[in-house]
Amino acid sequence: MDGNAAGEGDDNVDWNTEDELEVENYAASSSSCLARPSGDAASGSGEASSSASTSHSKLFCEFVVMGFSEKLVTKAIDEIGEGNPDAILESLLTYKVLENSPQEQDIDESAVVKEEVMDSDHLSSDYEGSFLEDSSDDDSYSESEEVINPSSEDKKLLFLTDMGYTVEEASIAIERCGPDASVAELADFICAAQMSKEADALLGPEEKPRLLNNFTKHKKRKHSNCDAWSKKRRGEKKLLHGDEEPIRLPNPMVGFGVPAETRTIVPRTLPEAAIGPPYFYYENVALAPKGVWDTISRFLYDVEPEFVDSKYFCATARKRGYVHNLPINDRFPLLPLPPGTIHEALPLTKKWWPSWDTRTKLNCLQTCIGSAKLTERIRKALEHHDGESEPPPRIQKYVLDECRKWNLVWVGRNKLAPLEPDEVEMLLGFPKNHTRGGGISRTDRYKSLGNSFQVDTVAYHLSVLKKLFPAGINLLSLFSGIGGAEVALHRLGIPLKNVVSVEISEVNRNIMRSWWEQTNQKGNLTHLTDVQQLNGDRLEQLMNSFGGFDLIIGGSPCNNLAGSNRHSRDGLEGKESSLFYDYFRILDLVKCIMSKGH
């Protein structure tokens, strides 16, 4: 997703306070486990004696240093005993899930199990900081599900009821999905059933679906008499199709092909409504709630999405879905090829990389980073075992889980650190210093980069345009962000004749404008701020000045699609992600205007 949410107010988030957001009881528990008097009483007589007996235990301190509360550590050790540290760690993770499960608020059903075990001391993004996606982007991360996804039906039932579902809903989900289904899959099943019930109750035979109303209720369409419009009112279909197979994410996620793959590309047939100018290219997170990509495809002329993971192009994963009408033959990658592994991209880290950290690819790069408190806690956990050849498996697992969540890299003995903005730029395919300087803060750089395209991946798809537009291209760039599409086209050697860039963030507009000037672009750059204000009159005015658009590209905000937004993961109905319908509205307006001969 290349672009920000609808409101500029989010630019005022205090991104510099993440180190101060540490869980309050960490400092207290960390110091008390090292220096607490043995006679210090805890609440409750039984708990007091238990705490006293474990207050100076190395194992006890070790788990407290990891960030678990003294109360939970004491409980786990009392139940299991100190002889099985791995079982204690599993119990602590489970306790933390149950302890933090919200009871009286709406949450993201499919992501809560993974997210609740994360440290609450980290500042998460209001834009795209998707921890569900982040953890899923690394295939090896799935091992952690064994800890936080209970294996027995009773435990799954407990998890689901703690998440707010009824016993009846949970029992039906387990029966329908089977005993091997994960908690996330069961939650998705319940959510889909609830949506289906709601849709049946709300959508009568004469009532227009809410999806259509999302982008038509507050806008009067000037070109409503265009025949193409009536043919594309996909919202007239029911939201949920019980007899249709939903879009499934492929494995491996290589779309219609990637540079390193030799398989023969199967030609695709585009629906008639998608054929003809202009070309369009839409991007968003692949791991969206169920039904989202079916809806996106339905609105974008029933074009089949192409799901691609950027780990096949660079050293970092980035699972994305793309809907486009571009040719899929004769693609070629950008040269020189970017580094393909962590050690190729960051060679100085190799000296300190332990053999038990088997990562070769970084996880999905986000808009936020791990805090200094986190890396300090990891250092202390490792130093507890400095005299050993390797830390024990439970410590390795703890460290690797945090490394995968936050893309931490080794910079010294027992010393991990988050990526620097310059390193993120390089991994995403942007030129050096693309987001640096000009009054742009360090945290703004992380935020803007986390919301951007992975340039090498997008350029591979757009490479087919080089033969089609040798003299240059007219581009309508919606939700432009920091100009990932423009950078990709420029690096492909496709001249940018006229670019209309629509981006609400002033920071991002400044980054884009600076790049345009520093690369000595010869074309015309027009900046607009809000896709919702781009109407038919303005489009006709722009298109009359240079003859129409060759490509409409963009990725609307994924705020309500990404897994981290437990409280607002409303899919395409959400406040920010509903801007997808403006992408379709504008695309369809351009097609209608061009079909009239403009």
Side-chain angles (χ1 to χ4, degrees):
M1 179 204 60
D2 203 343
N4 285 336
E8 276 196 356
D10 289 333
D11 287 340
N12 297 322
V13 173
D14 183 5
W15 286 77
N16 294 310
T17 60
E18 60 184 15
D19 288 348
E20 286 71 48
L21 296 179
E22 189 70 12
V23 179
E24 292 181 4
N25 70 358
Y26 167 70
S29 63
S30 178
S31 59
S32 63
C33 88
L34 297 175
R36 183 179 60 183
S38 59
D40 193 275
S43 59
S45 59
E47 195 173 305
S49 61
S50 175
S51 294
S53 65
T54 58
S55 61
H56 294 290
S57 161
K58 180 179 178 181
L59 186 65
F60 178 88
C61 291
E62 188 175 277
F63 285 121
V64 171
V65 166
M66 288 185 189
F68 296 107
S69 71
E70 290 187 16
K71 179 180 178 181
L72 288 184
V73 175
T74 299
K75 180 180 177 182
I77 292 177
D78 284 349
E79 290 182 355
I80 297 171
E82 294 198 12
N84 193 342
D86 292 337
I88 294 173
L89 178 59
E90 291 192 13
S91 294
L92 287 171
L93 291 170
T94 303
Y95 292 156
K96 200 165 184 180
V97 171
L98 297 176
E99 182 183 65
N100 295 338
S101 294
Q103 296 296 322
E104 299 178 358
Q105 58 187 349
D106 293 332
I107 57 176
D108 162 29
E109 298 87 354
S110 64
V112 67
V113 177
K114 282 186 180 179
E115 292 172 343
E116 291 294 0
V117 300
M118 294 181 182
D119 294 323
S120 58
D121 59 327
H122 305 301
L123 177 63
S124 62
S125 168
D126 284 336
Y127 293 80
E128 193 199 22
S130 166
F131 297 115
L132 173 63
E133 180 192 2
D134 189 15
S135 61
S136 301
D137 272 334
D138 189 338
D139 294 337
S140 62
Y141 188 80
S142 61
E143 65 186 77
S144 66
E145 295 180 6
E146 296 175 6
V147 175
I148 57 180
N149 271 339
S151 57
S152 72
E153 292 186 14
D154 289 341
K155 286 187 178 180
K156 290 177 182 177
L157 192 66
L158 174 63
F159 267 70
L160 291 168
T161 53
D162 281 334
M163 290 165 65
Y165 300 119
T166 66
V167 174
E168 181 182 9
E169 288 175 325
S171 299
I172 292 174
I174 293 172
E175 180 182 351
R176 297 286 180 84
C177 297
D180 295 329
S182 68
V183 171
E185 291 169 337
L186 295 170
D188 273 346
F189 177 88
I190 298 173
C191 183
Q194 290 174 341
M195 291 174 60
S196 178
K197 184 176 180 180
E198 179 185 357
D200 289 341
L202 293 177
L203 303 181
E206 303 298 329
E207 187 179 9
K208 293 183 185 295
R210 288 173 294 159
L211 287 178
L212 185 61
N213 288 341
N214 266 352
F215 65 94
T216 60
K217 62 183 178 182
H218 55 85
K219 295 180 176 66
K220 183 176 181 181
R221 184 184 176 83
K222 178 178 178 181
H223 299 277
S224 59
N225 60 339
C226 179
D227 290 339
W229 172 247
S230 61
K231 293 179 181 178
K232 303 186 194 85
R233 296 178 77 170
R234 308 302 178 191
E236 296 291 350
K237 299 181 180 181
K238 291 201 68 174
L239 291 176
L240 297 170
H241 300 272
D243 57 345
E244 291 185 8
E245 182 74 11
I247 293 175
R248 297 183 181 276
L249 299 182
N251 186 16
M253 199 174 283
V254 295
F256 299 121
V258 294
E261 196 190 48
T262 57
R263 74 180 177 110
T264 303
I265 297 177
V266 179
R268 67 168 179 171
T269 302
L270 288 171
E272 183 179 352
I275 298 174
Y279 288 109
F280 62 87
Y281 186 88
Y282 175 81
E283 179 257 16
N284 217 312
V285 294
L287 299 170
K290 285 188 176 180
V292 165
W293 279 105
D294 298 89
T295 301
I296 291 173
S297 174
R298 189 161 64 244
F299 272 83
L300 295 180
Y301 318 109
D302 291 315
V303 175
E304 177 187 357
E306 179 175 12
F307 295 105
V308 182
D309 190 336
S310 292
K311 71 180 183 180
Y312 297 105
F313 290 84
C314 63
T316 183
R318 203 174 189 80
K319 288 181 168 69
R320 294 293 184 266
Y322 306 90
V323 178
H324 61 85
N325 63 346
L326 296 168
I328 60 175
N329 293 305
D330 300 322
R331 293 168 164 180
F332 59 88
L334 285 175
L335 296 176
L337 294 175
T341 66
I342 298 174
H343 290 157
E344 289 174 1
L346 306 169
L348 296 180
T349 65
K350 189 173 183 179
K351 175 181 177 181
W352 304 106
W353 209 273
S355 60
W356 47 269
D357 185 347
T358 57
R359 290 178 295 158
T360 60
K361 300 277 187 178
L362 290 165
N363 216 337
C364 187
L365 302 176
Q366 302 299 327
T367 55
C368 53
I369 61 171
S371 71
K373 291 287 188 179
L374 170 67
T375 56
E376 173 69 2
R377 198 158 62 222
I378 293 174
R379 182 184 65 79
K380 288 181 178 179
L382 291 170
E383 286 180 350
H384 271 288
H385 303 276
D386 246 352
E388 305 171 23
S389 59
E390 284 187 355
R394 64 184 180 280
I395 300 298
Q396 293 182 24
K397 177 175 176 50
Y398 162 69
V399 173
L400 289 178
D401 283 352
E402 297 298 341
C403 287
R404 291 177 179 123
K405 290 171 193 172
W406 298 103
N407 282 315
L408 303 177
V409 294
W410 298 90
V411 295
R413 180 176 175 80
N414 297 331
K415 191 176 177 183
L416 284 156
L419 296 168
E420 292 295 320
D422 292 346
E423 295 169 334
V424 178
E425 280 179 347
M426 177 268 296
L427 290 163
L428 291 175
F430 287 94
K432 188 175 182 179
N433 297 327
H434 184 73
T435 60
R436 188 180 183 186
I440 300 166
S441 71
R442 177 184 175 91
T443 48
D444 277 335
R445 295 180 71 188
Y446 283 119
K447 185 168 59 177
S448 297
L449 287 162
N451 283 318
S452 71
F453 288 147
Q454 203 291 319
V455 172
D456 299 275
T457 308
V458 172
Y460 183 68
H461 296 161
L462 300 182
S463 62
V464 296
L465 298 174
K466 188 165 186 178
K467 288 183 179 179
L468 299 174
F469 300 100
I473 196 169
N474 292 331
L475 174 68
L476 175 56
S477 180
L478 304 176
F479 316 101
S480 296
I482 57 175
E486 291 82 349
V487 171
L489 290 166
H490 174 69
R491 290 188 60 192
L492 286 167
I494 302 174
L496 300 170
K497 294 194 301 184
N498 294 282
V499 174
V500 176
S501 172
V502 189
E503 169 57 42
I504 201 160
S505 166
E506 183 178 2
V507 168
N508 289 346
R509 293 197 303 271
N510 290 339
I511 292 172
M512 172 66 179
R513 187 180 296 111
S514 175
W515 172 83
W516 186 270
E517 294 170 353
Q518 292 179 22
T519 52
N520 298 315
Q521 298 294 323
K522 306 302 182 185
N524 302 309
L525 173 64
T526 301
H527 266 307
L528 302 177
T529 60
D530 192 347
V531 294
Q532 293 182 305
Q533 296 178 8
L534 183 55
N535 56 25
D537 290 334
R538 183 68 170 128
L539 282 167
E540 281 194 286
Q541 179 186 2
L542 291 165
M543 294 166 70
N544 284 336
S545 67
F546 50 76
F549 293 106
D550 303 309
L551 174 65
I552 299 177
I553 195 167
S556 55
C558 64
N559 300 49
N560 309 115
L561 307 182
S564 64
N565 294 321
R566 303 194 302 267
H567 309 299
S568 60
R569 199 176 187 227
D570 304 320
L572 296 175
E573 297 290 330
K575 178 182 177 182
E576 286 82 19
S577 293
S578 63
L579 291 173
F580 157 72
Y581 297 106
D582 282 286
Y583 177 91
F584 167 72
R585 174 184 63 82
I586 293 168
L587 169 60
D588 206 64
L589 271 171
V590 172
K591 289 176 72 71
C592 287
I593 294 171
M594 293 181 68
S595 70
K596 290 185 172 184
H598 290 271

